[in-house]
Amino acid sequence: RMGAHYELFKYTHLRASFGQGIRYPSVAERYTQTSVGALNIFPNDNLKPETGWAAEIGVKQVVRLGKKWKGIIDVAGFINQYDNMMEFTFGSFIPEGTTPSLDQASPTYLGNYVGFQAQNAEKARITGGEFSFNSQGQIGGVELTSLIGYTYMNPVSLNSDSAYISTFSDSGTTMLKYRFKHLAKADVEATWKGFSIGFSARYNSYMSNVDKTFVEGIPILGDTIQILPGLEQYREKNNNGNLVFDARVGYELSENYRIGFMINNLLNAEYSGRPGDIQAPRTFLLQLQLKF
């Protein structure tokens, strides 16, 4: 890996980097066969090493607004290129010569052959850009800090193999599975005489491409077995991404002690990170911190 930095002007910095790497399949990815509840993991000893390169160029600008307010603006663009990229694929992995059964008591029950397996997705490219703005200042006796960040990604598969594309829930796209195009976050905190109050928000866009098996089920013995019944309707209804708010308050009892109260998922939004992974509802946390 190599990088460069140049000070264009005072408080204006340009940076660039380039790197290459190789990742060999882990022992778990190649040989582990296990299950967690109804979720199965299958081995794949045919996995090939993953290779790739990455490049980034960015600029950072320090800004000052008046005497009591300053901030940092950072803008960057990046590209990641992969060969033999490894990703876990969900599907049915029925041994050759085996006739699966729908009888759960049978040793050849279909559910025993359904799960995830690490596979090579061949070529893939992820391009995108990032923007962030960090600021700190005072309004009267109140100290304010804030963070705003946004990331745009275009993760696409360069693999034209029809067998691979057939695993996409959205066959009309080349977007990699289980990826978001837009990610955003914002956080603001106010502090006054040991008291603090803060709010944050995080957003991810709709996960448009997942494993086709999750949505359409598994055709077997003249019937279709749904892995997650209702998922297709859920995705059609919830296709605008996820926006989640959190809140927190705190007080410094002394130099070494601080107490805090946090509310995660403030508006009690129902959302999932990926199929079947419903996130926690509104959660209350009480925290005591000790510095020593």
Side-chain angles (χ1 to χ4, degrees), residues 131-231:
F131 167 83
S132 69
F133 176 63
N134 301 337
S135 69
Q136 184 176 17
Q138 286 188 338
I139 299 178
V142 179
E143 182 177 337
L144 292 173
T145 58
S146 65
L147 164 66
I148 299 174
Y150 168 72
T151 301
Y152 168 78
M153 290 181 292
N154 185 35
V156 297
S157 169
L158 304 179
N159 183 1
S160 59
D161 182 15
S162 58
Y164 175 67
I165 296 176
S166 67
T167 66
F168 287 13
S169 63
D170 184 358
S171 59
T173 183
T174 59
M175 185 172 176
L176 291 171
K177 293 177 287 185
Y178 305 107
R179 301 304 205 283
F180 305 116
K181 273 202 169 185
H182 304 277
L183 295 168
K185 61 181 178 180
D187 188 288
V188 60
E189 182 172 282
T191 304
W192 178 75
K193 294 185 177 181
F195 289 94
S196 65
I197 182 171
F199 297 92
S200 64
R202 40 200 164 94
Y203 169 80
N204 61 259
S205 59
Y206 177 59
M207 184 182 287
S208 63
N209 202 11
V210 299
D211 277 300
K212 185 177 181 180
T213 308
F214 272 134
V215 178
E216 298 187 2
I218 302 175
I220 191 71
L221 302 178
D223 196 2
T224 299
I225 306 302
Q226 295 294 332
I227 303 301
L228 293 173
L231 177 64

Side-chain angles (χ1 to χ4, degrees), residues 210-274:
V210 299
D211 277 300
K212 185 177 181 180
T213 308
F214 272 134
V215 178
E216 298 187 2
I218 302 175
I220 191 71
L221 302 178
D223 196 2
T224 299
I225 306 302
Q226 295 294 332
I227 303 301
L228 293 173
L231 177 64
E232 185 174 8
Q233 293 77 13
Y234 177 86
R235 284 173 54 79
E236 290 175 356
K237 181 180 178 181
N238 300 273
N239 58 2
N240 294 317
N242 303 314
L243 178 60
V244 182
F245 295 93
D246 303 320
R248 62 189 182 274
V249 294
Y251 178 66
E252 288 191 8
L253 300 171
S254 67
E255 183 179 352
N256 297 323
Y257 290 91
R258 186 178 189 278
I259 189 171
F261 179 67
M262 291 156 282
I263 306 177
N264 294 332
N265 194 359
L266 179 65
L267 301 183
N268 204 30
E270 179 185 297
Y271 69 104
S272 63
R274 58 184 183 276

